[in-house]
Amino acid sequence: GDSVTQMEGPVTLSEEAFLTINCTYTATGYPSLFWYVQYPGEGLQLLLKATKADDKGSNKGFEATYRKETTSFHLEKGSVQVSDSAVYFCALSDSHRDDKIIFGKGTRLHILP
Amino acid sequence: EADIYQTPRYLVIGTGKKITLECSQTMGHDKMYWYQQDPGMELHLIHYSYGVNSTEKGDLSSESTVSRIRTEHFPLTLESARPSHTSQYLCASSVTLGVAGGGPSGANVLTFGAGSRLTVL
């Protein structure tokens, strides 16, 4: 079945460092790909998405490109801030199948001032 | 603004008590979900509904039950709480593809509530 694998955390970086959180997926169809973020004490919220190959999703300085050839959707940010400290989830859904959302296990990010 | 509300946000109860976690959304979404989030952060789908009077069990077996009598309301009930039920419960909703708000992209985007943290002593 479909699955999502993302790098394990925690990831600890200094403020203004470059961030990459790796995410790869397995899917038999043509999924949409997402990154969700969960700040402390809150539910998840959509950070960005891409619905077809080579699409780039972007929001709040974060970017991810849908790479069909490598089945990847890595999250990047050029200069992180303390306020980016959160848990990040990679996810997919396939609208041509049951449309169920499949989440990765989450990556906790700590940004040090 | 998120338009999905969960109550209570925090609940501490004794073993054997019956509890209901409330979830309401004002967006008219037809799909609703309950996730259980373990301390390691991983999300487990325990129930979902694709419309009124439609409920399904998710990927993780759960002793809880749900109902969907109204579009906007999707409560989760534990008849007899146990310490193993201690967890964070997240409710979410999404719109069916092709319905206004779902967008031409066809992506099934979830909107989450803030969560209900349950502790059973």
Side-chain angles (χ1 to χ4, degrees):
Chain A
D2 295 357
S3 66
V4 174
T5 302
Q6 61 182 105
M7 65 189 288
E8 292 188 20
V11 174
T12 302
L13 297 172
S14 297
E15 203 165 24
E16 299 183 3
F18 183 87
L19 168 71
T20 300
I21 300 178
N22 290 335
C23 172
T24 58
Y25 68 91
T26 301
T28 54
Y30 303 92
S32 296
L33 301 174
F34 311 84
W35 278 100
Y36 284 82
V37 59
Q38 184 177 29
Y39 297 105
E42 299 182 12
L44 281 71
Q45 55 186 270
L46 180 69
L47 180 60
L48 52 84
K49 65 177 172 62
T51 57
K52 60 183 187 300
D54 301 324
D55 269 2
K56 177 186 284 187
S58 61
N59 186 25
K60 299 181 180 180
F62 291 89
E63 292 183 340
T65 301
Y66 189 159
R67 301 283 188 204
K68 195 170 190 297
E69 64 276 14
T70 55
T71 62
S72 65
F73 193 55
H74 304 321
L75 182 69
E76 297 181 336
K77 186 174 185 181
S79 177
V80 293
Q81 306 300 311
V82 172
S83 57
D84 293 327
S85 298
V87 181
Y88 292 81
F89 292 88
C90 187
L92 69 80
S93 75
D94 191 343
S95 61
H96 297 284
R97 298 177 69 210
D98 59 11
D99 217 16
K100 206 178 289 184
I101 312 295
I102 296 172
F103 286 94
K105 293 186 177 182
T107 302
R108 188 178 296 278
L109 176 65
H110 294 291
I111 305 300
L112 304 176
Chain B
E1 289 291 329
D3 296 296
I4 181 164
Y5 306 98
Q6 291 187 240
T7 57
R9 289 291 313 276
Y10 303 93
L11 180 63
V12 180
I13 60 169
T15 297
K17 299 292 187 184
K18 177 180 178 179
I19 64 111
T20 296
L21 304 180
E22 302 288 349
C23 177
S24 295
Q25 51 98 2
T26 59
M27 298 171 284
H29 287 175
D30 51 0
K31 297 179 182 177
M32 296 190 75
Y33 312 80
W34 276 104
Y35 288 87
Q36 186 173 339
Q37 186 171 31
D38 61 29
M41 307 168 300
E42 191 170 355
L43 295 165
H44 302 283
L45 180 66
I46 52 175
H47 297 284
Y48 62 99
S49 166
Y50 283 179
V52 172
N53 294 324
S54 156
T55 61
E56 301 286 344
K57 289 189 178 297
D59 304 318
L60 180 70
S61 176
S62 173
E63 294 165 345
S64 58
T65 59
V66 292
S67 63
R68 189 87 183 277
I69 299 172
R70 301 198 315 266
T71 298
E72 62 271 22
H73 197 212
F74 191 42
L76 180 145
T77 299
L78 277 165
E79 290 293 333
S80 180
R82 295 206 303 273
S84 61
H85 297 138
T86 294
S87 190
Q88 164 96 314
Y89 293 86
L90 295 171
C91 181
S93 70
S94 67
V95 65
T96 302
L97 302 175
V99 175
S105 66
N108 187 19
V109 176
L110 297 180
T111 300
F112 280 85
S116 292
R117 184 167 294 282
L118 173 66
T119 301
V120 184
L121 304 176

